[in-house]
Amino acid sequence: MTTILIDADYVDRFVFELTVNFERMLERRIQKLDLSRWVDYLALDAGLRPGDEKEIQVIMLYTPQHRRLKNCLPDNLDSQLNATAIQTNIAEFCFASHPAPEDLIDLPTLYEQSLTSLLDEKPNRMLLVADLESYATPLKHIISQAPRETAITLFTPTETVGFKCQQEILTYSLMAAMNISGTELDRLK
């Protein structure tokens, strides 16, 4: 089984930053991130191909005050992105969203504990979208302890040293799902 673990607060902030930068550079409006397209691109970037998996689990973690994503569609983590599924050319993506209860646990700790628990189940593949500025050090440790049979792909804005796993550039999949093409960027040169 393949699982995608996403820090939804981080993705929403990062998409906002991309939108602001690309709207200025391209001098056009950038559409919100289409999450169903984006998870497809994440899977492809991690090496999955149509038919490799029937079902891919997508777990989105967030703080309660960010249950609505400002820069993504669908945007409601409680109703639209929890206990729902999207069928694409790659697989059926089954979404589950979990808030970090403010009085009990913070989002970085929830992400770390969720990753540890998921790795204990020895999944075939883990795709990680995490806020490395907030919790890179514990994440490095958890990944270094992962079962060898689990292929881990970490999506980061730029290549990051110290992680014992495959890395892919997060920005590429986001750009594709937001309809920002390479040819548009080539024209800026």
Side-chain angles (χ1 to χ4, degrees):
M1 166 154 250
T2 295
T3 301
I4 305 173
L5 184 61
I6 298 171
D7 180 329
D9 289 15
Y10 168 72
V11 169
D12 205 37
R13 278 192 320 272
F14 191 66
V15 168
F16 173 75
E17 292 169 13
L18 279 180
T19 300
V20 169
N21 288 327
F22 280 113
E23 284 184 347
R24 189 185 80 251
M25 287 172 30
L26 300 174
E27 298 177 347
R28 73 169 176 85
R29 189 106 174 103
I30 302 296
Q31 72 180 39
K32 291 185 177 192
L33 175 66
D34 179 337
L35 289 169
S36 63
R37 290 183 61 208
W38 180 53
V39 292
D40 245 2
Y41 292 128
L42 283 177
L44 288 168
D45 285 352
L48 285 163
R49 296 298 173 252
D52 285 354
E53 297 272 349
K54 288 183 178 180
E55 198 176 279
I56 296 174
Q57 181 179 23
V58 181
I59 301 171
M60 301 186 76
L61 306 176
Y62 64 96
T63 54
Q65 64 268 29
H66 293 115
R67 68 177 27 99
R68 283 194 95 80
L69 301 169
K70 295 177 183 173
N71 304 290
C72 307
L73 292 174
D75 65 353
N76 190 310
L77 289 159
D78 286 337
S79 61
Q80 296 171 314
L81 292 165
N82 188 32
T84 60
I86 300 170
Q87 181 67 49
T88 73
N89 291 332
I90 301 296
E92 180 178 42
F93 291 87
C94 300
F95 286 83
S97 298
H98 302 282
E102 293 173 279
D103 53 338
L104 298 176
I105 192 169
D106 62 6
L107 187 57
T109 305
L110 178 61
Y111 194 97
E112 296 158 22
Q113 290 179 356
S114 298
L115 178 57
T116 300
S117 294
L118 289 164
L119 288 171
D120 285 345
E121 297 174 16
K122 295 186 173 103
N124 296 338
R125 213 179 237 124
M126 287 289 309
L127 283 58
L128 308 176
V129 181
D131 184 353
L132 297 183
E133 290 180 20
S134 295
Y135 46 93
T137 302
L139 213 54
K140 286 178 187 176
H141 176 72
I142 294 166
I143 291 171
S144 72
Q145 303 296 314
R148 291 181 188 223
E149 60 271 14
T150 300
I152 299 174
T153 304
L154 177 65
F155 289 87
T156 63
T158 59
E159 192 172 324
T160 307
V161 295
F163 284 92
K164 296 180 179 180
C165 63
Q166 175 184 336
Q167 291 184 35
E168 293 294 334
I169 302 298
L170 173 64
T171 313
Y172 298 151
S173 60
L174 291 171
M175 287 172 49
M178 295 165 66
N179 284 330
I180 302 169
S181 70
T183 55
E184 281 185 290
L185 299 177
D186 288 342
R187 282 185 255 153
L188 297 174
K189 294 179 183 177

